[in-house]
Amino acid sequence: MPEGHRFPMEKYAAFRRQAQQRLFSLPGVGFHPSPLSTVRDLESTHDRSYIQRYLVGNVTAQEKRESGFDWNEQHVNRTLSSVGGTVAATHAVLQSDSSVGAHLAGGTHHAFQARMEGFCIFSDIAVAANVALRDYPDKVRKILIVDLDTHQGNGNAVLFQDDSRVFTFSMHCDANYFSKKQASDLDVEVKAGTGDAGYLSLLERYLPLVFEAQAPDLVFFQAGVDVHASDRLGKLALTRAGLQRRNLRLFQFVEAYGSKLVVTAGGGYPSDSDPSSGPYADIINAHADVYVGAAEFFGGGSKMVPLLR
């Protein structure tokens, strides 16, 4: 990434290291490098010509502006591993007795079938969901996407708008739309400035309804931490403890319904990249907490599939 770019790419290495340190002694937790997504898997979700244009660098200036990224071969590999890791985590959990598989990247919920937007080229969750439906028809009939990023999961909303097998639930800040608002199966808007109590109250109102109505076989958790008060883009005011309670509540519902869970990262934009600063540490801690919390809650049997950098 160019120096000074507003996307905090360095955070992935930082919170991956923290997650590894905190989970090193927990039995059953393994870290593996993300594989690159196959074109066949990408085509389960995205337009073939769009995929090929991106892979060879035929990207327009407007697309670069909308995605927030320039094009280079390293970023192609990063994009493919961002999808491939979520697909690998999905295979890992569906082929084992584990309750949770996780990817320390992904969460690219602004990508559309043939359009990039908001740091998202392809939708890793959508691709992984379609791969699960394709490859595990006896195990996966109903999928729930729980998107708790501060931004709406607009790309996934559109990608699954005509597929009753996948239910999209997005709970996001009402002041954080940067493009046209889309219609998820359930959208819950959170007022800017909301803290732990108000946020968790809303989650407690809607999460039980969604699980009861869907009884999902597989849940994807877009675990954006840009709802944290230290996030420079989030416009919400959750604390680290509030985020931990958010994560725990989802884990409890997954366990109660006997669902399989795939965790991905999401937004998290510290106000600076100084590792010694409080806001930077807040975002790194919040990201790592998601994975540590999942592994500890589900008994250490999860397969952690990170993006290694």
Side-chain angles (χ1 to χ4, degrees):
M1 301 293 290
E3 185 176 351
H5 194 282
R6 58 198 176 104
F7 187 78
M9 192 71 78
E10 67 282 348
K11 74 172 184 176
Y12 291 96
F15 78 77
R16 184 260 298 170
R17 285 193 295 267
Q18 185 184 134
Q20 285 180 305
Q21 291 167 0
R22 292 169 64 185
L23 292 172
F24 179 76
S25 61
L26 191 65
V29 176
F31 285 79
H32 309 277
S34 298
L36 301 183
S37 174
T38 66
V39 171
R40 176 175 179 256
D41 285 351
L42 291 175
E43 288 180 349
S44 72
T45 303
H46 295 284
D47 179 77
R48 178 176 297 180
S49 62
Y50 169 69
I51 296 168
Q52 292 301 326
R53 281 199 308 105
Y54 175 74
L55 293 179
V56 300
N58 185 13
V59 180
T60 68
Q62 181 178 347
E63 286 177 321
K64 292 177 183 179
R65 287 192 299 271
E66 290 179 346
S67 71
F69 291 133
D70 203 351
W71 185 93
N72 57 59
E73 290 186 2
Q74 290 100 331
H75 196 266
V76 170
N77 285 337
R78 189 261 175 183
T79 298
L80 293 179
S81 64
S82 187
V83 177
T86 302
V87 173
T90 302
H91 284 304
V93 74
L94 291 174
Q95 293 175 3
S96 71
D97 294 331
S98 297
S99 296
V100 58
H103 182 204
L104 272 73
T108 50
H109 58 169
H110 299 308
F112 295 82
Q113 184 180 28
R115 180 162 67 86
M116 56 190 73
E117 181 182 282
F119 303 135
C120 303
I121 311 298
F122 305 122
S123 173
D124 63 297
I125 290 176
V127 171
N130 282 320
V131 167
L133 291 167
R134 180 193 72 197
D135 292 353
Y136 304 93
D138 295 334
K139 293 183 178 180
V140 180
R141 295 180 178 86
K142 193 69 177 180
I143 293 175
L144 170 63
I145 297 174
V146 177
D147 192 324
L148 300 183
D149 194 275
T150 195
H151 301 98
Q152 186 197 33
N154 56 339
N156 289 335
V158 172
L159 288 169
F160 292 113
Q161 62 186 354
D162 297 320
D163 192 338
S164 62
R165 300 172 298 174
V166 181
F167 189 94
T168 53
F169 168 40
S170 179
M171 185 167 150
H172 50 270
C173 180
D174 67 351
N176 244 329
Y177 294 101
F178 57 84
S179 63
K180 181 182 177 182
K181 179 181 177 181
Q182 303 294 339
S184 307
D185 291 307
L186 176 60
D187 285 301
V188 176
E189 293 187 327
V190 184
K191 291 192 176 301
T194 297
D196 292 350
Y199 185 96
L200 294 169
S201 177
L202 281 173
L203 188 67
E204 193 63 40
R205 182 188 309 174
Y206 290 102
L207 204 56
L209 299 177
V210 170
F211 268 87
E212 183 177 355
Q214 301 304 312
D217 304 301
L218 178 64
V219 177
F220 287 94
F221 179 24
Q222 207 278 18
V225 303
D226 44 10
V227 296
H228 194 288
S230 291
D231 193 276
R232 62 183 169 86
L233 301 179
K235 301 182 180 179
L236 293 175
L238 273 71
T239 66
R240 182 180 185 182
L243 274 160
Q244 289 173 332
R245 290 197 294 273
R246 176 199 75 170
N247 303 336
L248 175 61
R249 201 68 186 108
L250 176 61
F251 301 155
Q252 289 171 335
F253 274 98
V254 168
E255 182 182 55
Y257 280 83
S259 309
K260 296 279 192 172
L261 175 65
V262 175
V263 180
T264 72
Y269 304 93
S271 56
D272 62 61
S273 57
D274 180 1
S276 66
S277 75
Y280 185 85
D282 287 341
I283 297 303
I284 299 306
N285 289 337
H287 273 304
D289 284 347
V290 176
Y291 300 92
V292 174
E296 292 179 342
F297 180 84
F298 292 103
S302 58
K303 291 188 178 297
M304 312 295 284
V305 187
L307 169 65
L308 297 182
R309 295 186 62 79

